[in-house]
Structures are given as C-alpha cells and as structure tokens.
Amino acid sequence: MTGDDTKHLPLEDLHVAAGARFGAFAGWSMPLTYPAGVMKEHLHTREHAGLFDISHMKLFEISGSGSVALLNRACPLDAGALEISQSKYTFFLNEAAGIIDDLIVTRLGQQRFMVVANAGNAEADEKQLRALAMDFEAKVDALDRVFLAIQGPEAWAALSRAGIETGSLLFMHGFEPRENWFMSRSGYTGEDGFEIGLPETDARNLVAKLVEDERVMWVGLAARDSLRLEAGLCLHGLDITPEIDPASAGLMWAIPKEVRASGAFMGADALRSILERGPAQKRVGLKPEGRQPVRAGAALFDADGNPAGHVTSGGFGPSAAHPVAMGYVQTSLAKPGAKLFADVRGTKIPVDINPLPFTPHRYRKG
C-alpha cells in the first residue's frame, strides 16, 4: 500500500499533540501508543477510563420497510425480534459460512438499524449491504462520523462530568442521545464502556472535556489489543476470517436457536452441515509457560510432536500478569488442561489450553 492510500483519522492532530506513535492498521494511520506506554494505558483502562479513537470503524444506517428482511438475509439474525435500542453481536457470512466480518447491529426504530463494521472490511460490507438493498425495500447510508470509545469502570462518571448521562443505557443497547449522535454500551475491553459516533465538531468539544478529567487517558491500538485478548474477544483478520465459521470460532451463542434451524441467511446451509458433522477445529485460550509471549502465526504441536493447530493472537497480558494467546486446535485437543507446545523461532514453548476470558468481564448488565 502506498503512503497516499493511507486513510487518516479526522482527529489526527489531537493524537499528534498528545504524542501518539502511529502505525498502519487496516489501511489507516492509527495511534499505536501514547507517551504513557502500552502497560500504563492498559492498566489505566482496567482501573479508570481509557479513551480510544475508533473512527476507522464504519457506521451504516439501514432504513425502510425492508430493513428487517435485509438484515435477516445478510446476517444469522432475527432483526425483528430486537427491542428498540437493543444491540446484537452478529456476522456477515459467505456461502461457506466463513466470517466476512463481525458486527454489532442496534435497532433504532421500527424500520431503522445501526450497523457497526470493522475498518478493514467496511468497503466490502457496504458493497454487500447495497447489493442486498436492491432486493429489499431498504436504504443504506454510510455515515460520516468520528467514533470514540471510552472504556473502564470510571467511563460513565467521566461522561457524566462531560455532560453526557448514561444511566438509562444498559449493556448491549444503543440510542441517539442527540441529533446525528449514536451511543452504545458494549465494550471491546471486557470492561464497562461506551461507544459514541458523532460529528467532528461535537467530537472535538467532547474530547476536550474528557481529556481534562484525570480519570481519562488516551489509549492506542496496542493496549486495545492486549485488553481484548485478555477478555477473550476476537479480532477480525486474525481470530476470525472468511476461512473460519462461527462454530469453529466458539461464537454460536450469537446465533439464536430458531435462526440456526430455519434462518435464510447467507451461508445457512453450509453452517448447518458444519454443525451436523461438528467443527474440525475450535478456538481456545492459550497460556504459555514462563514469560515469553507466543504470537500470531506460531504453530502448535501435541506432546508427540504432531501438528495440533496454530496461534491467531498473542502477547503479554498486563492484568493477567502472564503471556496470553488464542488460537485454533483440533477439536479432540480443545479441552482445558490439554498440553501443547508452540514453536517460537525453533524453540518449543509449553502451552496450556486455558478457559476464556483470562480477565473476568465487568460489563454493567443491570
């Protein structure tokens, strides 16, 4: 990719002023770390509140009398069963039931939905939605918004001080607090947290208030990765890809039973046959022995040296205080306590299969 093709965040100047170190991610120039560094940013989010610029992610509004039917075709979802303001984690699948993208869909009204998609797949997602919109009475709008996440036990208090009340918003719900604003409470860190899509001028005003609060710290992609990995959450492009189906990924909880049985979503037949014969591999948590992190791409072997799977995400877990990883292993080996070895530059490192998450989730459910 040439430098000219790199996309830049609308608030890039604020990150430069905050001393961010940038790197490429999904075609965007993104803050990786700030001067505090990945350890402090990670722990501050778990203890106080981390502020993330996630404007590389894309918001789509789906509206019209066919919006429910469109979403039920596009995703393994019962969009009509969602309450107003309820959010649902779901996917776009290909015809082989591979995960093209994972998304969060929120019902804003009887015939209006918000879809939050990942940066790397936004263009493909938009194409797919627009193609489907031609078959259904529905309209797809790609919104131009700054998208911020504020995560951690003090996120609600920092937002309150900045003039944004969150009390009525429950976990996995979203609404429009002001015109052209969208706010949800989900959290890719395992902590209680909020995501706010809003116009750039409003975003600059909100950020100015938030960063004055000593409880709030800018957090880059490096700590976002260690936080979500400890929480056992997948990153599309690594832990879930178009080659991996929801059954292998351990994400069938996201697909309602009736939809599994009779939904007419893309990839439905393929997913049903995978479920019938059982997935050949499963996503698991991996805890390497010692202090050496095991990273994405490392091959896994069983005790006899036979290939057993591979690592898809890995690093050091600052809150867990040990290396953490996720990967795929043959279904027969996917049980807690199974002993495996990871090949790290020719050295075999012992790895235990570990229940996910490594760090307990602390979402505000009630």
Side-chain angles (χ1 to χ4, degrees), residues 130-213:
R130 290 199 187 285
L132 284 168
M134 294 169 76
D135 300 336
F136 298 94
E137 293 289 311
K139 183 157 141 294
V140 176
D141 290 305
L143 304 182
D144 185 20
R145 300 283 185 273
V146 167
F147 203 30
L148 302 169
I150 179 164
Q151 304 275 308
E154 294 180 336
W156 69 273
L159 283 172
S160 176
R161 187 184 289 181
I164 296 171
E165 288 312 323
T166 61
S168 59
L169 186 62
L170 296 174
F171 177 64
M172 287 306 280
H173 284 70
F175 74 121
E176 295 166 297
R178 303 176 191 181
E179 195 182 349
N180 293 325
W181 284 42
F182 169 68
M183 180 163 153
S184 58
R185 188 172 199 161
S186 59
Y188 191 49
T189 56
E191 300 298 324
D192 183 30
F194 303 86
E195 301 76 35
I196 307 172
L198 69 178
E200 184 181 333
T201 312
D202 294 348
R204 288 179 180 274
N205 293 335
L206 176 58
V207 165
K209 289 182 191 156
L210 288 172
V211 295
E212 274 173 10
D213 191 320

Side-chain angles (χ1 to χ4, degrees), residues 28 45 62 65 78 146 180 189 198 220 310 317 334 344:
W28 289 76
T45 305
I62 317 272
S65 58
D78 183 357
V146 167
N180 293 325
T189 56
L198 69 178
H310 64 285
V344 178

Side-chain angles (χ1 to χ4, degrees), residues 89-167:
Y89 177 73
T90 187
F91 320 99
F92 286 148
L93 302 179
N94 59 29
E95 288 302 349
I99 301 172
I100 297 170
D101 202 2
D102 61 334
L103 326 149
I104 291 185
V105 174
T106 303
R107 188 171 204 169
L108 297 175
Q110 278 310 114
Q111 302 181 352
R112 282 178 63 236
F113 294 83
M114 189 70 78
V115 175
V116 179
N118 287 305
N121 309 312
E123 281 170 31
D125 292 350
E126 183 170 356
K127 232 194 203 137
Q128 178 151 336
L129 284 169
R130 290 199 187 285
L132 284 168
M134 294 169 76
D135 300 336
F136 298 94
E137 293 289 311
K139 183 157 141 294
V140 176
D141 290 305
L143 304 182
D144 185 20
R145 300 283 185 273
V146 167
F147 203 30
L148 302 169
I150 179 164
Q151 304 275 308
E154 294 180 336
W156 69 273
L159 283 172
S160 176
R161 187 184 289 181
I164 296 171
E165 288 312 323
T166 61

Side-chain angles (χ1 to χ4, degrees), residues 312-347:
T312 52
S313 281
F316 189 76
S319 305
H322 58 72
V324 292
M326 283 196 291
Y328 284 82
V329 301
Q330 291 164 26
T331 304
S332 58
L333 296 168
K335 25 185 192 297
K339 287 270 181 227
L340 300 173
F341 294 88
D343 185 343
V344 178
R345 292 185 294 280
T347 305

Side-chain angles (χ1 to χ4, degrees), residues 243-272:
E243 282 68 58
I244 293 170
D245 62 89
S248 305
L251 297 172
M252 287 306 297
W253 56 266
I255 306 181
K257 292 224 172 20
E258 327 66 83
V259 175
R260 278 182 221 184
S262 54
F265 56 92
M266 320 252 287
D269 293 341
L271 185 58
R272 283 181 197 123

Side-chain angles (χ1 to χ4, degrees), residues 9 30 48 62 69 74 141 152 158 286 296 300:
L9 298 172
M30 295 291 293
H48 305 288
I62 317 272
D141 290 305
L286 300 165
L300 296 169

